[in-house]
Amino acid sequence: MPAPDDLALAIGARVREERRRRDWTLDRLAEASAVSRRMLVTVEQGAANPSIATLLRLSDALGIGLPELVAPPRSAGAQVTRAGDGALLWQGEHGGRGVLVATSPGPVIHELWHWTMQPGDRLASEPHRAGCRELLHVLDGAVVITVGDEHHELAAGDALAFSGDEPHAYACAGATPASFALTVLEPAGPAAADAAASTTHAARS
């Protein structure tokens, strides 16, 4: 697994590269992503480990998808992520971890996560892009998944499919640790479509 400092530097370089490729100023990206200019400077310098919410806002604004922000470009062939090599993108207050272990290239973005949560850990997520779906399978322990106003209590072996384009949250239930696998399927965002259209137009000009 990449060291936190190395991952922060890689994310910062990727954000800066994508921003400059679009000839965007920091102010324009701040406006498009709803991330403060000060935070953007810190992210691009690799001086902070941005939250998942911040990474999602940036990836949506840039139209490239979360995996492309946190992982180097890969070929469309078979991709192996060895144990311990995933990107650690969330750490809970009580020791939980959210690790992005596999991705696939767009336009439909696929993410495979491995989550562990300790008693008391909880992650609230903002809505993702319209049409996003999440598939969750509990491996150990018990969790409570909140989607909108609905609460779903799941035990080891249970699974849940739900819309990721509304507020949702994951929480450890009970007094023992829990773990689950999570797949996120997210369509390309408007920024990606605009970029593709611009590229097509340029090619035909």
Side-chain angles (χ1 to χ4, degrees):
M1 184 175 299
D5 289 348
D6 292 341
L7 182 59
L9 288 170
I11 291 172
R14 185 68 167 142
V15 171
R16 183 170 58 253
E17 174 189 352
E18 291 295 329
R19 177 178 62 80
R20 289 177 175 174
R21 189 165 69 85
R22 290 160 177 75
D23 198 25
W24 283 11
T25 63
L26 283 166
D27 289 331
R28 180 169 180 181
L29 180 53
E31 180 180 359
S33 64
V35 174
S36 72
R37 189 181 191 281
R38 181 176 181 180
M39 173 57 74
L40 285 176
V41 171
T42 304
V43 169
E44 288 196 359
Q45 291 176 341
N49 290 307
S51 67
I52 290 179
T54 296
L55 291 174
L56 287 171
R57 289 175 183 173
L58 291 174
S59 65
D60 283 348
L62 295 168
I64 62 172
L66 177 62
E68 293 183 63
L69 272 188
V70 303
R74 297 183 178 183
S75 67
Q79 304 166 11
V80 177
T81 302
R82 300 295 181 187
D85 286 347
L88 175 62
L89 298 180
W90 177 81
Q91 296 186 72
E93 294 182 2
H94 303 278
R97 295 156 63 89
V99 181
L100 181 61
V101 296
T103 65
S104 69
V108 178
I109 299 164
H110 299 76
E111 304 169 8
L112 178 61
W113 294 76
H114 182 263
W115 291 84
T116 56
M117 286 190 155
Q118 300 295 324
D121 277 332
R122 183 179 189 274
L123 171 65
S125 177
E126 298 177 354
H128 304 317
R129 292 175 187 161
C132 176
R133 295 287 293 175
E134 300 196 15
L135 310 174
L136 184 150
H137 182 216
V138 182
L139 304 175
D140 294 294
V143 297
V144 174
I145 308 301
T146 301
V147 183
D149 296 327
E150 297 183 351
H151 304 282
H152 305 275
E153 297 186 9
L154 307 174
D158 292 343
L160 177 69
F162 61 95
S163 297
D165 55 7
E166 58 182 309
H168 52 285
Y170 322 85
C172 180
T176 59
S179 66
F180 57 89
L182 177 70
T183 298
V184 180
L185 298 90
E186 190 168 15
D194 291 345
S198 297
T199 301
T200 302
H201 176 75
R204 293 175 177 175
S205 298

